[in-house]
Amino acid sequence: MSETTETGERTTAPDDEAQGRTRYPLQVEGLRKTFGGIVAVDDIAFEVEEGSLTGLIGPNGAGKSTTFNLITGMNDPDAGTVRFNGEDITGRAPHEIANRGLARTFQIARELEEMTVLENMMLAPKNQQGEKLWRSITPGVRDNVRRQEEEVLERVWEVLDFFEIEHLAEEYAGNLSGGQRKLLEMARALLTDPDMLLLDEPFAGVNPTLEKRLLDHIHELRQDGYTFLIVEHDMDLIMNNCERVVVMHQGKILMKGTPAEVKESEDVIEAYLGGEV
Ligand code: ADP
Ligand code: MG
């Protein structure tokens, strides 16, 4: 991936370039979140390497989902910073963070179950100019809006095709299987054209065949330069697919390392045996 933007602006710190280090699109530092008396996330720090598939694991209640919520702006942290592509995005609104290229999947809400897959997809890109009514009224701009809608539709079909669900376009989202829903959720997230995707338990309720397909898609997207951070309970899946793993326990980072290092860690084994996984 290029080290400079079109305007020649540096996207990598000079020191990093000199030392040939990898870039870290996501950097979390001193992140903390309490709910009443509960410390859900307790001063955590980690970074995610560009183009990697990084796993965030830990027993139930470890603070994984809260960490995702803090990163994506769904929750405001009590302390700490979140940096994305070098920019401090701490406390920004979810749509601002999504617009910067950091996407997450959302479960399909109940009301969207009564819409087709295609309609769900058309709703996904929140950032279209077409949403601003006055633009459609202004002569000359109308063509522009129409062109944009065509581009969105083209991209929608491209993504449906990529996930091999184009044959489900006219199906109601409520009729999809668990696995097909996961594909649709990921397809929707991809429509915002992100650099990085956060997936919270993307394989929950997915049958082995679809799980394999989802994983293939994730690896394929990684080849294209996308970065992934995923929360997943299945240890074997994490160990076989991630190159880095961050382990949380009781709101803290218990360990960071390669799958092999994590697998052999006494601390990790103990945390899992002590927890209710
Ligand atoms: P994980 O995703 O690792 O299972 P969570 O981040 O969901 O863990 O939860 C971490 C802790 O924070 C848990 O003790 C949970 O009960 C608590 N928690 C999470 N969200 C809230 C909330 N909105 N209000 C109160 N407590 C919460
Ligand atoms: Mg969770």
Side-chain angles (χ1 to χ4, degrees), residues 54-103:
T54 298
L56 179 61
I57 66 169
N60 273 329
K64 307 179 297 291
S65 292
T66 306
T67 299
F68 268 23
N69 289 339
L70 293 172
I71 292 170
T72 54
M74 310 297 288
N75 282 152
D76 279 333
D78 298 337
T81 53
V82 180
R83 291 187 153 270
F84 183 62
N85 286 336
E87 186 190 5
D88 188 345
I89 56 161
T90 321
R92 293 220 181 243
H95 72 272
E96 289 181 84
I97 293 172
N99 287 345
R100 280 168 171 74
L102 182 55

Side-chain angles (χ1 to χ4, degrees), residues 21-237:
R21 277 192 216 135
T22 43
R23 268 191 75 215
Y24 295 96
L26 182 68
Q27 297 170 304
V28 167
E29 231 182 87
L31 208 58
R32 182 181 171 82
K33 180 70 182 177
T34 54
F35 295 106
I38 297 165
V39 186
V41 171
D42 193 358
D43 193 20
I44 63 165
F46 66 91
E47 44 200 19
V48 175
E49 191 178 317
E50 184 170 79
S52 73
L53 175 49
T54 298
L56 179 61
I57 66 169
N60 273 329
K64 307 179 297 291
S65 292
T66 306
T67 299
F68 268 23
N69 289 339
L70 293 172
I71 292 170
T72 54
M74 310 297 288
N75 282 152
D76 279 333
D78 298 337
T81 53
V82 180
R83 291 187 153 270
F84 183 62
N85 286 336
E87 186 190 5
D88 188 345
I89 56 161
T90 321
R92 293 220 181 243
H95 72 272
E96 289 181 84
I97 293 172
N99 287 345
R100 280 168 171 74
L102 182 55
R104 69 175 298 173
T105 50
F106 284 101
Q107 285 193 342
I108 295 156
R110 183 144 304 181
E111 58 269 30
L112 296 185
E113 289 183 357
E114 287 163 29
M115 296 174 77
T116 67
V117 165
L118 189 62
E119 286 164 345
N120 268 275
M121 292 290 283
M122 293 305 287
L123 277 180
K126 289 284 176 287
N127 206 17
Q128 299 162 48
Q129 287 185 5
E131 280 186 353
K132 295 191 177 135
L133 189 63
W134 63 271
R135 288 183 192 270
S136 332
I137 297 162
T138 317
V141 178
R142 202 180 297 148
D143 290 341
N144 197 17
V145 170
R146 193 165 302 146
R147 203 159 42 241
Q148 249 188 33
E149 278 168 1
E150 279 165 17
E151 277 168 23
V152 168
L153 195 60
E154 208 171 293
R155 172 89 182 136
V156 162
W157 282 107
E158 213 178 274
V159 174
L160 286 177
D161 178 54
F162 177 79
F163 285 102
E164 300 168 60
I165 50 173
E166 71 274 39
H167 62 288
L168 297 173
E170 299 301 331
E171 190 59 73
Y172 288 105
N175 291 342
L176 300 183
S177 72
Q180 289 170 336
R181 265 168 198 250
K182 294 287 178 184
L183 288 170
L184 176 57
E185 285 168 18
M186 214 151 102
R188 280 164 50 109
L190 260 195
L191 272 187
T192 59
D193 207 11
D195 299 327
M196 177 168 178
L197 283 124
L198 267 55
L199 311 176
D200 196 349
E201 303 190 22
F203 308 107
V206 177
N207 74 48
T209 313
L210 265 187
E211 178 180 293
K212 168 92 174 52
R213 225 167 86 192
L214 250 174
L215 269 169
D216 287 345
H217 291 317
I218 289 173
H219 285 299
E220 212 174 308
L221 289 166
R222 278 185 50 211
Q223 301 296 318
D224 290 344
Y226 289 82
T227 304
F228 286 90
L229 178 63
I230 76 169
V231 167
E232 173 53 41
H233 280 297
D234 184 339
M235 274 289 200
D236 285 338
L237 190 149

